[in-house]
């Protein structure tokens, strides 16, 4: 039964999307509290086992879930309530979380981490032997790291709070290290560490315990279950020491393991939250560029209205120096507009009547009257955010492999820990005649601690998040997993000509008339092309307007895709299109052949005009190369890529452009379906192909290519067909995107290798029972830290700025998220 009758659409914490089958429904929801790939597995298993649910797909990097289900059996609110019960938060993916809300969550989790860290530092003080060099060195590394993190977290509040807080904890921990050696204090040590363990597990980390309990209740073994198993094993080991008081038994150390393993989970949760939030905010910050108010002209009056009250069709006045509040078309005025936040170009662009402006741009020294063309979710900036938030993105094959491994990882670790515990119990009894309980607990607990799975779970997503955030800063949106995994493997890059290599703004350069006046020929061509949105057609209409040639009325119009148009004017058939098109229609162009050839040889695109089977003349249109085209093509060639120029334009014009930029292979005069076919031919034999385009006619080829790359200034359908979007509309961003793809995948592979290396070696060693549980905790902490720092390697400022920015008062000069 549908829930539409019980929950108003505006109050639903989900959005509805078209399903793959007519008898199915699909919802999308934002899931808060995701930490690593084990979380995605938890959700997929929890929902996938419900009656009526066909498919569940979760994106960790975008914190969203897609659920396809039978609406006659399952209800969206019931499904999402399951996730709430487990401990995740649910919100509408269409609504962007306010910065203030995200910052409050970061501050809250930061405080949780500070409290847990304080307990860990005190626990280290309790269990460290100041006379034991090895223990002192190992514990010292953890101690210094935690003190450094405390300083970083508190630094946002000012230098003195950070100094006093970090030094105060350091002094307290060091003092405990020596005070605990006093006879009067020794007996209290295990009780105090035990109390801290209980407070941390059941108080500060209570949310982890609840999530573990809900997971076990549903038969799911995830990182929360494994963490709590380790924490409870540490507490159990400590309780054995308190109850039976075996000689030399490390009671406090067992409790300390529970403290520190919980602390590190809290830390990794918080750090994951920072990285994901800051990477997302790097793009979301664009929305802050949109003013809150706009000057709207209605009924002859100028009103200052909130942006939410502005509608499509309103006239908005923008004064010099103001930010453009909406997307729109200039109706009156002329100004230079700074669009650098989109294009990356520092030079303002001229905007006059008929030109488009983007909300967030900065108006220059002229006043503009703009007709609103898009508001709210339809605006350019909102579209950018939706691309970043798309839950179906960013699932490269390697991440699927990691997910599959993690499905069996936790049960495997639990089995190994149990076998290690039982093995040492029975083995010590058979060999020595008495049970070595301490060694058995050491073995089981060390396996649980060393087997902490979040190093594996965060390994791939962190590199993706880092890559997506870095790409967004460079004006590149990586929309799919292929953008990360596939682009680096591409061997051939196919480039569209118009709008990709060239500016895509052709103009009429020459007019050749057989009979009659040039303005008459131009007027007929403009009349025929007036209904077309093709850049060449628009160039003809613009030329007629500028020369004052008035186009006659058209009584019928038929477009022949990729060739031209057939119209009827004053009862006569008028043909306008490529010379080949007119010849196919039996229009004699013999007397123009030499001139057409000469024009095409110079790179001009020729449009022929005919009336009732007779040639009237030709228009020669020229485009200019993008300023960065030659450099971009050279960069791709130096990267070992084979480049192909693919265009619907004539052979001579295409080869002229190819020669100018340095491309050897040219396919000219290709229709839209032919472009996709050529891509298929290039893919024969397993060659991986990327297609770069910007027009509707490029969409089939973009979809066919292994990696589709759309220029941000292109059509919506081209952008929707692409894996990568070049927001800056600059061709030199293509090699940048490939480098980001290569670097991100390399980081992903390094992280996964590091994670499996740590766990693959650590778990068998821990099972020997020769590893002190605290040392296992240190090794686990090192593995997770290594993953984080490897993800941020080369840009450590990303980490420091991100941590320092949490909780910094507004106006305190917080570093901008990177």
């Amino acid at each position: 039964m549908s829930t539409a009758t019980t929950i108003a659409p505006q109050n639903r914490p989900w959005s509805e999307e078209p399903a793959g089958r007519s008898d199915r429904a699909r919802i999308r929801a934002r899931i808060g509290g995701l930490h690593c790939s084990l979380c995605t597995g938890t959700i997929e298993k929890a929902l996938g086992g419900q009656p009526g649910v066909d498919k569940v797909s979760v994106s960790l990097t975008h914190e969203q879930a897609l659920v396809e289900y039978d609406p006659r059996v399952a209800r969206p609110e019931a499904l999402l309530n399951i996730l709430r019960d487990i401990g995740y938060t649910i919100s509408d993916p269409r609504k962007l979380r306010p910065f203030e809300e995200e910052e409050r969550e970061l501050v809250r989790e930061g405080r949780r981490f500070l409290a847990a860290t304080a307990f860990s530092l005190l626990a280290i003080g309790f269990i460290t032997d100041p006379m034991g060099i090895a223990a002192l060195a190992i514990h010292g590394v953890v101690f210094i790291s935690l003190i450094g993190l405390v300083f970083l977290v508190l630094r946002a509040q000012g230098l003195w709070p950070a100094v006093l807080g970090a030094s105060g904890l350091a002094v307290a921990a060091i003092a405990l290290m020596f005070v605990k050696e006093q006879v009067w204090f020794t007996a209290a040590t295990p009780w105090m560490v035990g109390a801290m363990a209980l407070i941390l597990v059941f108080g500060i980390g209570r949310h982890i315990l609840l999530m573990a309990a809900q997971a076990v209740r549903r038969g799911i073994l995830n990182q929360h279950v494994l963490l709590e198993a380790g924490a409870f094993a540490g507490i159990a080991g400590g309780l054995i020491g308190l109850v039976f008081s075996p000689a030399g038994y490390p009671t406090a150390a067992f409790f300390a393991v529970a403290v520190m393993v919980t602390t590190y989970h809290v830390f990794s949760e918080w750090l994951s939250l920072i990285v994901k939030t800051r990477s997302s905010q790097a793009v979301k910050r664009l929305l802050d560029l949109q003013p809150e108010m706009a000057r709207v002209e209605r009924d002859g009056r100028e009103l200052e209205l909130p942006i939410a009250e502005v509608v499509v069709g309103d006239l908005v006045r923008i004064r010099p120096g103001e930010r453009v509040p909406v997307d729109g078309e200039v109706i009156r005025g002329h100004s230079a507009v700074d669009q650098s936040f989109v294009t990356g170009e520092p030079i303002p662009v001229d905007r006059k009547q008929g030109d488009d402006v983007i909300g967030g741009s900065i108006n220059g020294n002229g006043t503009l009257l703009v007709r609103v063309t898009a508001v709210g979710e339809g605006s350019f900036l909102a579209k950018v955010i939706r691309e970043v938030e798309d839950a179906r993105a960013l699932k490269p094959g390697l991440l699927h492999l990691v997910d599959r491994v993690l499905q069996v990882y936790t049960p495997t670790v639990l089995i190994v820990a149990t076998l290690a515990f039982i093995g040492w119990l029975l083995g010590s009894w058979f060999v020595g005649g008495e049970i070595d309980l301490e060694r058995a607990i050491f073995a089981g607990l060390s396996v649980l601690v060393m087997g902490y799975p979040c190093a594996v779970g965060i390994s791939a997503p962190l590199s993706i998040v880092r890559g997506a955030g870095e790409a967004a800063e460079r004006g590149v949106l990586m929309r799919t997993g292929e953008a990360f995994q596939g682009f680096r493997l591409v061997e051939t890059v196919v480039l569209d000509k118009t709008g990709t290599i060239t500016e895509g703004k052709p103009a009429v350069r020459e007019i050749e008339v057989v009979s009659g006046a040039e303005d008459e020929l131009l007027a007929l061509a403009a009349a025929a092309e007036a209904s077309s949105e093709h850049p060449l057609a628009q160039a003809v209409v613009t030329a007629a307007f500028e020369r004052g040639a008035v186009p006659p009325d058209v009584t019928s119009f038929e477009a022949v895709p990729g060739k031209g148009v057939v119209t009827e004017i004053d009862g006569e058939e008028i043909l306008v299109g490529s010379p080949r098109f007119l010849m196919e229609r039996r229009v004699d162009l013999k007397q123009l052949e030499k001139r057409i050839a000469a024009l095409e040889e110079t790179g001009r695109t020729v449009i022929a005009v005919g009336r009732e089977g007779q040639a009237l003349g030709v228009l020669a249109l020229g485009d200019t190369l993008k300023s960065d085209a030659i450099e971009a093509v050279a960069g791709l060639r130096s990267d070992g890529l084979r480049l192909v120029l693919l265009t619907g334009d004539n052979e001579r014009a295409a080869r002229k452009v190819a020669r100018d930029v340095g491309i050897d292979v040219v396919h000219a005069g290709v229709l839209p379906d032919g472009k996709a076919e050529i891509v298929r031919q290039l893919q024969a034999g397993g060659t991986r192909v990327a297609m770069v385009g910007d027009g509707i006619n490029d969409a089939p080829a973009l979809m066919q290519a292994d990696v589709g790359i759309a220029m941000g200034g292109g059509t919506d359908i081209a952008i929707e067909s692409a894996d990568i979007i070049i927001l800056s509309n600059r061709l030199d961003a293509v090699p940048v995107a490939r480098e980001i793809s290569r670097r991100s995948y390399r980081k992903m592979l390094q992280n996964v290798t590091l994670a499996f290396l740590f766990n693959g070696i650590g778990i068998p060693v821990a099972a020997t029972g020769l590893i002190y549980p605290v040392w296992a905790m240190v090794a686990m902490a090192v593995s997770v830290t290594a993953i984080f720092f490897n993800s941020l390697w080369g840009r450590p400022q990303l980490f420091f700025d991100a941590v320092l920015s949490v909780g910094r008062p507004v106006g305190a000069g917080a570093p901008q998220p990177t």
Side-chain angles (χ1 to χ4, degrees):
M1 178 179 173
S2 173
T3 62
T5 56
T6 58
I7 300 179
Q10 66 271 21
N11 296 328
R12 295 174 185 168
W14 69 82
S15 63
E16 296 179 348
E17 297 188 357
R21 292 168 46 183
S22 58
D23 61 340
R24 293 293 185 265
R26 179 186 290 177
I27 60 170
R28 186 198 301 196
R30 180 178 287 113
I31 314 296
L34 296 181
H35 179 45
C36 69
S37 291
L38 279 166
C39 293
T40 67
T42 297
I43 292 173
E44 288 169 357
K45 187 171 182 180
L47 296 184
Q50 297 302 308
V53 175
D54 294 340
K55 183 180 179 182
V56 182
S57 178
V58 183
S59 170
L60 173 64
T61 50
H62 290 132
E63 298 186 301
Q64 293 189 16
L66 280 172
V67 184
E68 191 161 309
Y69 63 97
D70 184 344
R72 295 166 299 184
V73 179
R75 297 163 58 97
E77 71 264 39
L79 295 174
L80 297 181
N81 277 337
I82 291 174
L83 301 185
R84 287 195 183 95
D85 289 342
I86 294 176
Y88 298 108
T89 60
I90 310 297
S91 59
D92 189 340
R94 296 165 299 186
K95 298 176 181 177
L96 296 174
R97 293 181 66 196
F99 279 110
E100 293 77 11
E101 182 181 330
E102 292 182 329
E103 290 304 309
R104 281 196 299 272
E105 182 179 5
L106 285 174
V107 170
R108 183 175 63 250
E109 293 305 313
R111 287 171 179 164
R112 192 196 303 271
F113 167 61
L114 280 176
T117 302
F119 276 27
S120 285
L121 286 168
L122 295 177
I124 289 173
F126 274 119
I127 66 172
T128 301
D129 180 3
M131 300 297 112
I133 302 300
L136 192 62
I138 293 173
H139 294 170
V141 171
V142 178
F143 180 84
I144 293 171
S145 300
L146 291 177
I147 288 294
L149 286 171
V150 169
F151 179 83
L152 273 178
V153 175
L154 292 176
R155 183 65 181 82
Q157 306 302 320
L159 178 61
W160 282 110
V163 170
L164 293 174
S167 58
L169 277 174
V171 169
I174 293 172
L176 282 175
M177 194 185 307
F178 292 95
V179 170
K180 77 174 192 307
E181 299 298 319
Q182 303 300 316
V183 176
W184 57 270
F185 203 85
T186 302
T189 294
W191 291 95
M192 295 181 72
V193 181
M196 288 193 294
L198 294 176
I199 292 172
L200 194 54
V201 172
F202 293 96
I204 297 171
R206 182 171 175 270
H207 66 292
I208 308 170
L209 180 60
L210 292 177
M211 295 181 83
Q214 289 293 339
V216 170
R217 175 186 158 200
R218 289 174 169 80
I220 300 170
L221 298 178
N222 58 16
Q223 82 277 21
H224 299 114
V225 174
L226 193 54
L227 171 75
E228 293 301 337
F232 275 90
I235 291 173
L239 289 174
I240 289 173
L242 288 179
V243 173
F244 299 103
S245 301
Y249 188 85
T251 304
F254 279 118
F255 284 131
V257 168
V259 171
M260 286 188 280
V261 75
T262 305
T263 296
Y264 217 83
H265 183 85
V266 171
F267 168 62
S268 59
E269 278 186 331
W270 182 60
L271 200 49
S272 285
L273 181 64
I274 290 176
V275 174
K276 286 188 289 185
T277 301
R278 291 295 183 250
S279 296
S280 175
Q281 286 178 351
V283 180
K284 288 181 185 178
R285 192 165 291 275
L286 288 173
L287 288 184
D288 278 356
L289 298 175
Q290 188 175 51
E292 296 180 357
M293 307 293 289
R295 293 187 182 86
V296 180
E297 290 193 359
R298 289 181 183 172
D299 302 323
R301 293 187 304 156
E302 185 178 292
L303 307 173
E304 191 161 344
L305 300 176
I307 288 295
E309 296 181 19
V310 178
V311 298
V312 173
D314 273 342
L315 296 180
V316 174
R317 184 174 298 282
I318 305 156
R319 295 174 180 169
E322 293 182 340
R323 282 199 182 273
V324 178
V326 292
D327 292 1
E329 178 186 351
V330 177
I331 301 302
R332 190 166 62 246
H334 178 273
S335 184
V337 178
D338 179 359
Q339 295 187 160
S340 58
F341 77 98
V342 175
T343 65
E345 287 293 323
I347 301 174
V349 293
D350 283 335
R351 284 294 177 259
K352 57 184 182 303
Q353 183 176 345
D355 291 337
D356 293 329
V357 291
I358 298 173
S361 306
I362 300 176
N363 188 25
N365 54 10
T367 297
L368 298 175
L369 186 65
V370 173
R371 177 182 289 118
V372 180
T373 57
V375 293
E377 292 189 4
S379 69
F380 173 82
L381 292 178
K383 288 178 181 177
V384 170
I385 299 304
R386 281 205 303 278
E387 294 299 344
V388 175
E389 297 291 338
D390 194 331
R392 287 160 293 190
L394 307 172
K395 265 285 190 178
L398 184 62
L399 192 50
H400 282 297
L401 175 62
V402 172
D403 287 346
R404 287 196 294 271
V405 171
L406 287 175
Q407 288 176 4
V408 298
Y409 181 87
T410 301
T412 301
V413 172
L414 289 172
I415 290 171
V416 172
T418 303
L419 291 177
F421 177 74
I422 294 174
W424 271 99
L425 282 180
L426 298 179
S428 60
W429 184 72
F430 278 120
V431 174
E434 61 181 50
I435 292 175
D436 190 344
L437 180 62
E438 179 180 325
R439 186 65 63 186
I441 295 176
F442 269 23
L445 180 55
S446 294
V447 169
L448 290 173
V449 172
M450 191 73 80
Y452 180 74
C454 278
V456 179
I458 66 174
S459 57
L462 266 182
S463 59
I464 292 175
V465 170
R466 155 74 186 271
E470 185 179 349
E473 292 175 2
R474 305 287 292 274
V476 178
L477 289 186
M478 312 289 256
R479 297 183 66 224
T480 69
E482 283 307 304
F484 286 99
Q485 185 163 334
F487 196 17
R488 69 188 179 90
L489 299 174
V490 162
E491 302 162 74
T492 299
V493 176
V494 180
L495 297 154
D496 174 50
K497 181 176 76 72
T498 305
T500 301
I501 293 179
T502 65
E503 291 289 353
K505 297 176 182 178
V508 175
R509 308 295 183 185
E510 288 98 4
I511 301 176
E512 192 74 25
V513 179
V514 174
S515 61
E518 288 186 358
D519 284 359
E520 181 186 1
L521 178 69
L522 192 57
L524 284 173
E529 299 279 29
S531 298
S532 173
E533 294 184 356
H534 192 282
L536 296 178
Q538 293 299 307
V540 171
V541 174
T542 300
F545 175 78
E546 290 176 348
R547 293 178 62 145
V550 181
D553 292 334
V554 175
T555 53
S556 70
F557 173 88
E558 178 191 357
V560 181
K563 295 184 177 182
V565 296
V566 181
T567 64
E568 184 177 320
I569 298 174
D570 295 333
E572 296 177 315
E573 182 182 72
I574 304 296
L575 301 176
V576 179
S578 67
R580 185 199 302 177
F581 173 58
L582 267 68
M583 287 189 286
E584 289 174 356
R585 294 284 182 140
R586 295 184 171 80
V587 175
D588 186 5
L589 297 177
K590 281 186 178 180
Q591 56 187 317
L592 290 169
E593 279 182 354
K594 290 184 179 179
R595 184 59 177 152
I596 290 172
L599 290 169
E600 289 184 343
E601 194 65 38
T602 63
R604 298 285 191 242
T605 299
V606 177
I607 293 178
V609 183
R611 178 169 55 196
E612 291 295 321
Q614 299 296 316
L616 296 179
V618 295
L619 307 175
L621 294 93
D623 200 353
T624 56
L625 291 177
K626 286 187 173 179
S627 60
D628 61 324
I630 295 175
E631 181 183 349
V633 169
L636 293 170
R637 283 173 65 95
S638 66
D639 212 13
L641 295 170
R642 178 187 180 220
L643 302 181
V644 177
L645 181 65
L646 187 58
T647 179
D649 210 343
N650 67 78
E651 182 84 15
R652 290 191 184 93
R655 291 203 174 277
K656 171 70 165 55
V657 170
R659 280 196 305 272
D660 289 345
V661 297
I663 296 176
D664 299 325
V665 182
V666 177
H667 293 274
V670 184
L671 300 180
D673 55 346
K675 290 186 176 184
E677 179 57 34
I678 286 175
V679 171
R680 274 192 290 272
Q681 292 172 9
L682 292 171
Q683 289 171 322
T687 301
R688 295 183 69 88
V689 177
M691 170 72 192
V692 186
D694 74 324
I696 292 175
N697 62 340
D698 297 321
L702 290 169
M703 290 292 287
Q704 176 62 39
D706 295 285
V707 178
I709 304 170
M711 307 305 285
T715 60
D716 286 344
I717 191 170
I719 289 174
E720 287 298 320
S721 303
D723 300 292
I724 298 172
I725 301 171
I726 307 298
L727 280 179
S728 63
N729 210 33
R730 291 179 57 87
L731 192 59
D732 59 7
V734 175
V736 169
R738 189 163 191 262
E739 177 56 30
I740 290 173
S741 168
R742 184 188 293 117
R743 191 162 57 243
S744 296
Y745 190 80
R746 187 165 58 241
K747 285 292 181 188
M748 193 186 310
L749 203 57
Q750 290 171 357
N751 284 351
V752 171
T753 302
L754 276 172
F756 281 115
L757 194 62
F758 270 112
N759 292 60
I761 295 174
I763 291 174
V765 172
T768 65
L770 302 175
I771 300 295
Y772 201 56
V774 174
W775 295 359
M777 208 291 306
V778 171
M780 177 273 294
V782 169
S783 71
V784 177
T785 305
I787 299 301
F788 274 111
F789 279 92
N790 186 59
S791 296
L792 301 170
W793 189 260
R795 294 188 64 192
Q797 201 61 34
L798 176 69
F799 169 76
F800 292 118
D801 284 352
V803 173
L804 288 171
S805 67
V806 175
R808 187 180 288 267
V810 176
Q816 294 300 313
T818 52

